Amino acid sequence: MAFENVVYPAFIKQEEENFGIHFPTLLPENGWDLCLTSGPTKKEAIQNAKKALAYLLAGELYDNEELPSQAPIPANLVKEEMELIFIKTSYSDYAKGIEEHLPERHWHIYFNRDWESDFQAVAYKNKQGFWDVKVDGDLPIEMEQEKLLQLCPTYPVISTVRRRVEAEEAFDSFVLKVKEI
């Protein structure tokens, strides 16, 4: 797992007392509104963005995903308070910290991506490089252990997957089966 000298478009803008770095094409769901990182000066914000970007990209690779697209920010969406910049980062610059951080990485999975759902799972990477998806805590409905094991013989591990989207699909399918019983 490595990447060197990758460049992603971003914009910097003053946000109260800090300068925020946004990656709207890298993080399309919330990158326009929420900054990935910030700093009290532009220089510090950019330094922080290099590290945050390296950690984010390393996490994607650790999650068995491809590096995200380096799509440009559409010029017609750039507002006056935004300054377009390009953040260049490398795995090797932050390798020690990334390698200490990644083994603790895990996913929280919510039924139908609803953060308020009573049905939740968590996934941890196993020694084979796949993700074991486990029910997080007890199921929010009463169910006999015997029926549960018939439904899922490996319970509380409900699935072993390669990618997050597979984990979400497996968990949603499991929850729907549980709700049918």
Side-chain angles (χ1 to χ4, degrees):
M1 167 182 32
F3 50 87
E4 295 300 319
N5 300 317
V6 294
V7 179
Y8 281 83
F11 68 83
I12 188 169
K13 79 174 192 181
Q14 183 134 20
E15 299 174 349
E16 297 177 19
E17 297 178 17
N18 283 317
F19 290 89
I21 305 285
H22 297 254
F23 291 87
T25 55
L26 177 62
L27 305 167
E29 289 183 22
N30 56 19
W32 287 99
D33 300 320
L34 300 174
C35 62
L36 178 63
T37 188
S38 64
T41 66
K42 284 184 180 182
K43 184 177 181 178
E44 288 177 80
I46 291 169
Q47 276 307 115
N48 293 340
K50 291 177 181 182
K51 180 178 180 180
L53 180 60
Y55 275 70
L56 187 145
L57 298 175
E60 289 292 309
L61 294 176
Y62 187 79
D63 291 353
N64 300 320
E65 301 289 344
E66 301 288 325
L67 285 180
S69 167
Q70 297 166 307
I73 298 171
N76 63 324
L77 299 177
V78 176
K79 298 179 182 168
E80 189 175 308
E81 68 271 12
M82 301 173 182
E83 178 185 341
L84 289 179
I85 58 174
F86 294 90
I87 303 295
K88 180 178 178 181
T89 195
S90 294
Y91 179 86
S92 60
D93 293 342
Y94 306 98
K96 185 176 188 244
I98 289 170
E99 289 166 11
E100 289 172 359
H101 173 77
L102 285 178
E104 297 174 19
R105 188 173 175 88
H106 59 280
W107 302 330
H108 289 273
I109 302 165
Y110 303 91
F111 178 62
N112 284 335
R113 283 7 96 231
D114 177 4
W115 289 40
E116 302 295 321
S117 175
D118 291 334
F119 291 95
Q120 299 176 19
V122 65
Y124 291 94
K125 201 162 195 180
N126 62 33
K127 292 179 181 180
Q128 292 75 37
F130 293 95
W131 293 85
D132 290 330
V133 182
K134 298 171 112 177
V135 171
D136 192 13
D138 294 327
L139 289 175
I141 59 176
E142 291 291 322
M143 184 176 235
E144 293 177 21
Q145 189 73 13
E146 187 177 306
K147 284 185 180 179
L148 191 56
L149 289 172
Q150 286 174 347
L151 178 66
C152 181
T154 57
Y155 184 83
V157 175
I158 60 161
S159 183
T160 298
V161 299
R162 180 166 165 70
R163 298 176 54 235
R164 184 182 184 104
V165 68
E166 296 165 344
E168 292 169 345
E169 290 169 358
F171 184 61
D172 287 352
S173 175
F174 171 77
V175 170
L176 291 173
K177 288 176 187 172
V178 165
K179 286 182 166 190
E180 288 176 1
I181 294 177

